[in-house]
Amino acid sequence: MTTAEQTYLRTELEQRRERLHAALHSPAADASLSQLLTAVDEALRRIDDGTFGLCETCHDSVEPERLLADPLVRFCLDHLTSVEQRALESDLSLAARIQRALLPSPDMAPTGWDVRFHYQPAGMVSGDYCDLVETDSGLLFMLGDVSGKGVAASMLMSHLHATFRSLAEAGLPLDRMVEDANRIFCESTLAGQFATLVVGRATDDGLVEFVSAGHLPLLHIHGDGVSPKDSTGVPLGMFCTTDFPVCQLKLAAGDSLFLYTDGLSEVFNAKGDEYGLLRVESLIARHSSKSPDQMLAACLSEVRDFSAGVKRTDDLTLLVMQHSN
């Protein structure tokens, strides 16, 4: 783990140690608190002697996301006991159910828009973020990708979801909303944790404003072809104070927006070739006249054919918004 992460975890462990000491002096203190205190002291000792984060069985590195979620972890996934494995599987299953419950309704029908999305974690949980919120000032749409993998990334994704859901109710201008979300995200994450993200607002007359915080190009599908709209700002979480420029588009009836995470552009085939941004743009251009459902189906079919025989390692999320007025 990096020095910044270990410094953060040391601070966390020292705070827990102080709380445990205080709790142990309570008349109602439970004996299990002494065991927890011993485990915290042992973790601090491992930081001091340079063995923190190493599996006590194989001496390889413990998965960083597991250490961030629980700094008392002492074994890598390959060397958990059967009881620990069952507990982890249960936790992951619960986390996966919670994540799916956070997704927007597939039957959502905002005025002036036909919206469809596809959400496909590479494992049980995902670091991809997708949400749609109908507000008085228009349809808010968010799609992004949190750094890292596994449970730690899924926790950050849930954090982003809660942040934007809370800010959506305040009716803020788009740039102010993203600036506030960035500050909250930056102040509550570790160094090196960030999220690339597109946040936009679409009105029923086809006017769209959006912020692209370090994310992959948004594709505007129109009568003359496909126009990529590149990122205009840095990812969320990199700097606590930064500006996020707002871009505007006017969609005609039948025009669409296509957003995606790197589970589409960074998929590989059996030869080791990456799908890439140019193939994504070409793919969408070939299916630009299709409905959102048909466009998603065509994308998934082509990517499956391209990567046949190669295990998928990235989460995949796609969002299509077609102006219907």
Side-chain angles (χ1 to χ4, degrees), residues 205-224:
D205 61 355
L207 182 63
V208 174
E209 57 176 359
F210 69 91
V211 167
S212 181
H215 198 68
L216 296 163
L218 174 152
L219 300 181
H220 175 202
I221 305 163
H222 48 82
D224 295 326

Side-chain angles (χ1 to χ4, degrees), residues 268-271 306-312:
F268 289 85
N269 63 15
K271 297 179 182 179
F306 178 83
S307 61
V310 178
K311 183 179 179 181
R312 187 169 51 85

Side-chain angles (χ1 to χ4, degrees), residues 197 210-215 229-234 242-247:
L197 187 69
F210 69 91
V211 167
S212 181
H215 198 68
K229 305 298 180 182
D230 290 331
S231 164
T232 57
V234 298
T242 187
D243 295 329
F244 292 92
V246 177
C247 301

Side-chain angles (χ1 to χ4, degrees), residues 118 120 128 145 215-217 219 258-269 273-281 283-284 295-296 298-304 306-307 312 314-320:
H118 174 82
Q120 186 177 358
D128 280 4
D145 187 2
H215 198 68
L216 296 163
L219 300 181
F258 181 81
L259 294 82
Y260 56 99
T261 59
D262 60 11
L264 175 61
S265 58
E266 295 182 8
V267 68
F268 289 85
N269 63 15
D273 300 323
E274 186 182 65
Y275 195 73
L277 297 179
L278 291 179
R279 281 194 178 95
V280 172
E281 188 175 333
L283 166 65
I284 298 307
M295 194 178 296
L296 288 180
C299 288
L300 295 173
S301 176
E302 178 156 332
V303 170
R304 278 195 299 268
F306 178 83
S307 61
R312 187 169 51 85
D314 280 330
D315 306 318
L316 172 63
T317 304
L318 310 174
L319 174 64
V320 183

Side-chain angles (χ1 to χ4, degrees), residues 4 26 38 49 77 98-99 101 103 115 146 155 172 176 191 209 215-216 229 246 260 265 288 323:
S26 167
T38 299
D49 64 22
L77 287 174
I98 291 172
Q99 276 203 307
L103 292 171
V115 182
V146 173
M155 291 172 66
L172 299 170
R176 171 71 183 281
E209 57 176 359
H215 198 68
L216 296 163
K229 305 298 180 182
V246 177
Y260 56 99
S265 58
S288 60
H323 182 39

Side-chain angles (χ1 to χ4, degrees), residues 48-209:
D48 289 336
D49 64 22
T51 61
F52 182 81
L54 298 180
C55 174
E56 294 185 11
T57 298
C58 67
H59 307 295
D60 284 339
S61 296
V62 175
E63 297 76 15
E65 63 271 13
R66 294 180 58 233
L67 280 171
L68 289 173
D70 180 5
L72 300 183
V73 168
R74 296 161 47 218
F75 300 95
C76 68
L77 287 174
D78 290 337
H79 294 97
L80 296 179
T81 67
S82 58
V83 173
E84 289 171 331
Q85 288 176 347
R86 287 195 296 272
L88 178 60
E89 289 169 359
S90 177
D91 288 345
L92 286 173
S93 179
L94 176 59
R97 291 199 300 273
I98 291 172
Q99 276 203 307
R100 289 199 171 274
L102 296 178
L103 292 171
S105 168
D107 300 323
M108 195 173 190
T111 303
W113 296 93
D114 183 6
V115 182
R116 295 292 183 273
F117 68 91
H118 174 82
Y119 169 83
Q120 186 177 358
M124 292 188 70
V125 292
S126 170
D128 280 4
Y129 169 50
C130 179
D131 201 10
L132 299 161
V133 184
E134 291 188 86
T135 71
D136 292 339
S137 53
L139 173 68
L140 280 175
F141 59 93
M142 287 79 74
L143 183 138
D145 187 2
V146 173
S147 62
K149 297 183 183 296
V151 174
S154 73
M155 291 172 66
L156 289 178
M157 174 272 191
S158 299
H159 177 34
L160 267 185
H161 179 278
T163 298
F164 275 104
R165 281 278 170 155
S166 298
L167 292 172
E169 298 176 358
L172 299 170
L174 200 60
D175 54 351
R176 171 71 183 281
M177 179 188 300
V178 181
E179 288 168 12
D180 286 354
N182 173 68
R183 187 184 66 257
I184 294 167
F185 192 73
C186 190
E187 291 174 351
S188 58
T189 56
L190 293 173
Q193 293 181 317
F194 60 89
T196 66
L197 187 69
V198 175
V199 183
R201 179 183 283 120
T203 57
D204 57 11
D205 61 355
L207 182 63
V208 174
E209 57 176 359

